[in-house]
Amino acid sequence: MFGVDALTLLSAGALAFALLTYVMLDGTDLGVGMLMGINRRPEQRQVMLLSILPIWDANETWLVLGGGGLLALFPLAYAILLPALYVPFLLMFMALLVRAVGIEFREHLPRKGMGDALLLGGSLLATLCQGVALGTLLQGVPHKAGQYNGNGWEWLGSFPLLCGLALVAGYLWLGACWLYWRSEGDLHQRSRRQARYLSLLALSLLAAVLICTLGVDQRYWQRLSEPWIAGPSLASVTLLLLGYQLAWRSRWHCLPLLMALGVVAVAFALMLLALFPLIIPPDLSLAQAASSPTSQTFMLVGFAIIAPITLAYNTLGFRVFAGKIRAPDARSE
Amino acid sequence: MFEAADAGAALLAARAQFAITISFHIVLAAFSIGLAQWLLVLEALWLWRRNQHCLDLYRYWLKIFALTVAVGTASGLVMEYQFGLNWSVLSVKAGEVIGPLMFYEVMVAFFLEAGFLGVMLFGLNKVGPRLHFLATCAVALGSLVSAFWIISANSWMHTPAGYSLAGDGRFLAEDWWAIVFNPSFPYRLTHMLLAAMLGTATMLAGAAGWHLLRQPGNPRARLQYSMALWAIALLAPVQIIAGDLHGQHTLQVQPIKVAAIEGSWTRPPAGAGEPLRLFAVPDMAEQRNHFEVAIPRLGSLYLTHDLSGTISALDEFPRADLPPVAIVFYAFRVMVGLGVLMAALGLASLLLRWRGRLWHARWLQCASVALAPAGFVAMLSGWIVTEVGRQPFTVYGLLRTADSLSPVAAPKVIWATLAILLVYTLVFGLGLWLLLRLLGKPPGPDERSPAPALSEET
């Protein structure tokens, strides 16, 4: 299909799976980190932190997998993309490092507010950089003879920044839905209200990104307007949003989050469909960037065996800490 | 696109950036590996003997483990992308070979570690002791397996094997078994894992020594002190043997590195043997040493295991292939010097134990405190020896460092490197301060787990 062999297609699928899992999992806890900005009461912040404390590390590991996977499966894409995104990527790494410090050191810091500020700032900057990186990829990266040859500032345009803002809104939305699920009492109610506003914000920004994306490259418009893509995606988004509205009445408090994650997954799928068969627009295809069949086979066999096991014990890790988190009483502090 | 002088500055800044990010990360990673095994032993002893002191120590060190391991994930994330940010030509050429090894590190090891970390840190009261012990085992195993894969990738770049060269200079994987178990891999893995354990053991002995100086009767500090000193007494001699074997192998595959370690510019006359240079100031420009202090023939003893053998000297190789000799020369002496001190500490503890004076010898407690960082300083020095010693190549003998660089303008690389240095200094400085503050308080009875609110709520 489109000149891409089955093996490369599988490799692309594995990588896309890792990235989407990262966006859905870590996106949610980055959103919780950013929500520290609008939920200021210490006991609420404590609950927010506790809800992500045991799992954020495993969530972030999917991004580590993305790095190793891109280098191994599509070395040419890795080598072109990272120099092009030198500044946003390094900012993102520093932000994630600071965020890790905010989460893990918080308990021992003389002032908890310091940890919260690091978590908030780190989450915001990291999310912004991730959105900018996706935007830069979509608008195309200049390269020649297998190496990046732009000026290094393509990411500082209006389209990548719009994508950054959209991702911030999207992660905030996920974060609010997560807190609605995992908290009770006042924070639960607040998160419900916040999720409503944030869903409107996120959806309008995502729509703006979609419209701008269609203008970035003629081929995106051609691809996404094909009926076999436009039809099902419109239908699924409509259904998901309908479900999202109804979900607030359900006694399953995880439903709004699941619906929101569904919307994010559809948006992600649309992005990949628009790009296919390219890995880096305007002209680097998956097939050109792929590593040799020996390397791909070596990894895909491992991925097929290990990924299900990984998902199984990660689910176990989630389940151990599932359920509502109560605000700790004053005595335990 | 960018000029020659610019390229020189970018190269230096990119190398500095890698050196900074890997140095901070490797100490954290090694400490995590060592602590994970230590916690595993403690929990096993607790389950087996129901010794409450073990559980108290477990909880005490779990808080410290939480500090190191999570920040280790974030600093490890940076490493996963360093190759693309600054070494994009290396990534294109060698990505198909080293990329899969890094991919497997994440798949097999990091997920195992991170997936069970939450349960290990916060779940003791939630899942019960058996499942919790399983989580501790998974984290400990994950940390060892991650060392396996990343050392394999590193070793392959020192002793590439199992590959073929494509027309455009890319390395293509041919034989994965030969790639993973490349010639220097067993030596490096053994040496590094022992270094991680030994570094952790000196930290544990130092912390316990500090507490015993203040509370001589604290049973938890005594237990930790005794276990750590056993580990040092057993591991330090093994490490010296492993190091010697690694050195013998390096002499075969990277003779230039060994010549730089020895500071040997010219080969001694036949039969004279290699001297052991205790001190010298190697001079790259004049290709000789200043202020040399050496013991004749002793070098031959550990290099060729006799008194008259000689090795290839630096002047027998092309000048363009020489590493920065002085750094390699000094770093090696720091590593070996500290190694000998640690072995002496272990030996002294055995003698005192034999004479039943282990708890009364305050001087040994002071020595343990002084040597607390010795293991990790020695480990870092060892990495400097091996990584600076393989310059000017990234893939040894095949791809030069200068030809591996990304096309990023020099000012950007320099500013990024400075910014990283600043952030790392602040983050690790804060971490070290918290670590010392936690370690300043001796382990007491009924230690709490990290984030008690999380583990106690139902």
Side-chain angles (χ1 to χ4, degrees):
Chain A
M1 195 164 62
F2 297 98
V4 181
D5 60 290
L7 193 62
T8 306
L9 212 55
L10 278 176
S11 297
L15 197 60
F17 177 77
L19 271 185
L20 177 62
T21 311
Y22 171 75
V23 168
M24 300 210 300
L25 294 178
D26 207 32
T28 304
D29 67 55
L30 282 163
V32 173
M34 288 189 284
L35 284 169
M36 289 272 175
I38 49 176
N39 295 325
R40 292 170 172 277
R41 284 175 38 200
E43 68 278 13
Q44 291 181 346
R45 286 184 162 184
Q46 175 80 7
V47 170
M48 292 167 69
L49 183 93
L50 289 179
S51 77
I52 59 171
L53 186 59
I55 49 167
W56 73 271
D57 189 49
N59 293 348
E60 201 169 295
T61 305
W62 289 95
L63 187 60
V64 189
L65 185 70
L70 189 62
L71 169 62
L73 295 165
F74 301 97
L76 206 53
Y78 177 86
I80 292 170
L81 205 54
L82 285 169
L85 293 165
Y86 199 81
V87 176
F89 261 83
L90 279 173
L91 282 177
M92 175 180 82
F93 295 138
M94 294 305 111
L96 288 173
L97 184 64
V98 162
R99 180 174 181 271
V101 167
I103 296 175
E104 295 295 331
F105 291 7
R106 186 180 188 271
E107 205 191 335
H108 308 288
L109 288 175
R111 284 177 45 219
K112 300 255 188 293
M114 208 170 125
D116 296 340
L118 292 178
L119 173 56
L120 167 62
S123 305
L124 182 62
L125 184 58
T127 308
L128 206 55
C129 290
Q130 287 176 10
V132 165
L134 288 177
T136 312
L137 172 68
L138 275 172
Q139 75 178 10
V141 179
H143 58 93
K144 203 176 123 191
Q147 289 292 320
Y148 168 68
N149 76 339
N151 61 18
W153 301 102
E154 290 87 1
W155 57 272
L156 203 62
S158 50
F159 178 69
L161 290 177
L162 174 68
C163 293
L165 288 179
L167 202 67
V168 169
Y171 284 1
L172 276 169
W173 180 28
L174 294 178
C177 292
W178 167 264
L179 288 176
Y180 170 76
W181 174 25
R182 299 299 310 279
S183 68
E184 52 185 20
D186 190 36
L187 184 60
H188 179 73
Q189 296 304 333
R190 275 179 74 93
S191 302
R192 181 190 181 121
R193 282 196 303 278
Q194 287 166 358
R196 295 252 152 156
Y197 297 126
L198 288 169
S199 62
L200 289 178
L201 183 67
L203 289 169
S204 24
L205 280 170
L206 275 175
V209 167
L210 182 65
I211 292 165
C212 293
T213 307
L214 297 177
V216 164
D217 191 322
Q218 189 61 34
R219 288 170 294 176
Y220 295 160
W221 168 243
Q222 280 169 4
R223 172 67 51 75
L224 294 183
S225 61
E226 284 183 42
W228 63 275
I229 292 178
S233 43
L234 264 177
S236 53
V237 169
T238 313
L239 279 176
L240 283 165
L241 289 179
L242 202 66
Y244 177 73
Q245 285 302 322
L246 295 172
W248 298 104
R249 292 181 209 155
S250 165
R251 59 194 180 86
W252 303 101
H253 290 173
C254 60
L255 277 182
L257 177 65
L258 290 178
M259 298 296 163
L261 285 171
V263 175
V264 170
V266 172
F268 188 80
L270 281 178
M271 186 186 89
L272 295 186
L273 284 169
L275 285 174
F276 190 83
L278 300 179
I279 186 164
I280 297 182
D283 53 10
L284 187 74
S285 71
L286 287 167
Q288 288 167 314
S291 53
S292 65
T294 344
S295 294
Q296 291 188 59
T297 314
F298 179 60
M299 276 175 292
L300 288 175
V301 169
F303 189 78
I305 298 170
I306 303 163
I309 304 174
T310 305
L311 287 172
Y313 63 67
N314 269 336
T315 312
L316 171 82
F318 265 71
R319 286 182 63 107
V320 168
F321 298 98
K324 296 277 183 191
I325 292 171
R326 286 189 202 100
D329 56 14
R331 278 180 295 113
S332 70
E333 278 304 299
Chain B
M1 199 192 109
F2 62 139
E3 315 297 326
D6 210 33
L11 178 63
L12 208 61
R15 284 178 59 190
Q17 192 180 116
F18 202 91
I20 292 165
T21 48
I22 193 78
S23 301
F24 280 105
H25 176 66
I26 212 160
V27 174
L28 263 188
F31 197 29
S32 302
I33 291 174
L35 277 183
Q37 315 310 316
W38 161 244
L39 289 167
L40 174 65
V41 170
L42 283 176
E43 191 168 18
L45 279 178
W46 173 60
L47 289 174
W48 181 33
R49 298 243 187 95
R50 292 283 152 189
N51 180 344
Q52 179 65 25
H53 298 328
C54 287
L55 183 62
D56 287 331
L57 276 179
Y58 182 88
R59 287 189 162 142
Y60 179 86
W61 282 97
L62 200 57
K63 284 181 285 200
I64 288 155
F65 188 60
L67 291 187
T68 61
V69 76
V71 179
T73 304
S75 67
L77 178 64
V78 181
M79 300 317 306
E80 206 80 9
Y81 289 86
Q82 268 291 314
F83 293 94
L85 290 170
N86 290 312
W87 309 102
S88 64
V89 178
L90 169 71
S91 302
V92 172
K93 293 200 166 160
E96 301 193 16
V97 177
I98 56 173
L101 305 179
M102 290 160 66
F103 180 83
Y104 266 95
E105 182 191 17
V106 188
M107 272 317 289
V108 185
F110 285 172
F111 274 119
L112 198 61
E113 227 177 325
F116 284 101
L117 183 68
V119 179
M120 177 183 178
L121 291 181
F122 313 112
L124 185 55
N125 296 343
K126 278 180 174 280
V127 298
R130 274 159 196 266
L131 187 55
H132 187 264
F133 182 61
L134 188 75
T136 305
C137 290
V139 171
L141 179 70
S143 72
L144 291 178
V145 176
S146 80
F148 174 95
W149 287 105
I150 201 63
I151 297 284
S152 175
N154 172 267
S155 300
W156 185 85
M157 290 168 72
H158 281 276
T159 49
Y163 67 93
S164 65
L165 274 173
D168 54 2
R170 283 181 305 133
F171 297 91
L172 298 178
E174 293 293 334
D175 177 355
W176 283 107
W177 187 267
I179 290 170
V180 174
F181 296 97
N182 59 78
S184 65
F185 171 65
Y187 301 98
R188 277 174 217 282
L189 182 67
T190 313
H191 204 38
M192 178 59 189
L193 285 180
L194 285 169
M197 311 291 171
L198 201 51
T200 309
T202 56
M203 289 288 287
L204 292 172
W210 177 262
H211 296 141
L212 287 177
L213 285 170
R214 274 151 197 75
Q215 300 181 348
N218 185 323
R220 292 158 291 275
R222 279 191 170 193
L223 180 65
Q224 178 181 326
Y225 190 59
S226 169
M227 285 171 74
L229 285 174
W230 269 121
I232 294 169
L234 294 174
L235 293 178
V238 177
Q239 179 70 315
I240 289 173
I241 294 167
D244 180 57
L245 290 172
H246 186 17
Q248 293 296 319
H249 187 257
T250 305
L251 189 56
Q252 291 167 30
V253 292
Q254 296 177 329
I256 310 182
K257 187 189 282 178
V258 180
I261 286 172
E262 292 304 319
S264 162
W265 294 98
T266 47
R267 196 192 276 258
E274 290 285 346
L276 163 59
R277 292 176 187 82
L278 294 172
F279 183 80
V281 180
D283 186 329
M284 288 293 277
E286 291 184 31
Q287 303 251 316
R288 67 186 192 89
N289 295 331
H290 305 285
F291 313 111
E292 192 176 289
V293 181
I295 305 170
R297 290 185 183 274
L298 212 55
S300 294
L301 194 63
Y302 60 81
L303 288 165
T304 58
H305 295 175
D306 59 34
L307 284 175
S308 57
T310 54
I311 59 163
S312 301
L314 289 164
D315 65 359
E316 295 169 38
F317 302 100
R319 275 185 91 152
D321 290 354
L322 298 191
V325 174
I327 301 176
V328 180
F329 181 84
Y330 291 127
F332 184 78
R333 273 145 193 79
V334 172
M335 176 185 78
V336 172
L338 289 174
V340 170
L341 283 179
M342 287 185 276
L345 181 71
L347 190 64
S349 79
L350 287 182
L351 289 174
L352 286 169
R353 227 187 264 273
W354 181 49
R355 291 166 54 191
R357 296 192 41 80
L358 188 63
W359 310 122
H360 310 292
R362 287 174 69 86
W363 67 268
L364 192 77
Q365 293 164 4
C366 294
S368 300
V369 174
L371 284 177
F376 288 131
V377 174
M379 184 191 77
L380 264 185
S381 307
W383 274 102
I384 291 171
V385 172
T386 199
E387 295 305 307
V388 176
R390 61 103 157 262
Q391 295 301 328
F393 294 102
T394 44
V395 180
Y396 198 73
L398 296 165
L399 182 62
R400 283 178 187 271
T401 312
D403 301 332
S404 306
L405 199 63
S406 291
V408 178
K412 209 186 265 182
V413 188
I414 294 168
W415 279 110
T417 305
L418 290 174
I420 289 173
L421 183 62
L422 180 72
V423 173
Y424 272 47
T425 310
L426 289 175
V427 164
F428 286 83
L430 179 67
L432 195 63
W433 176 70
L434 287 178
L435 179 75
L436 291 178
R437 228 173 55 139
L438 283 176
L439 285 179
K441 205 171 79 62
D446 301 320
E447 284 282 339
R448 293 194 316 179
S449 299
L454 188 61
S455 45
E456 278 153 26
E457 115 340 278
T458 47

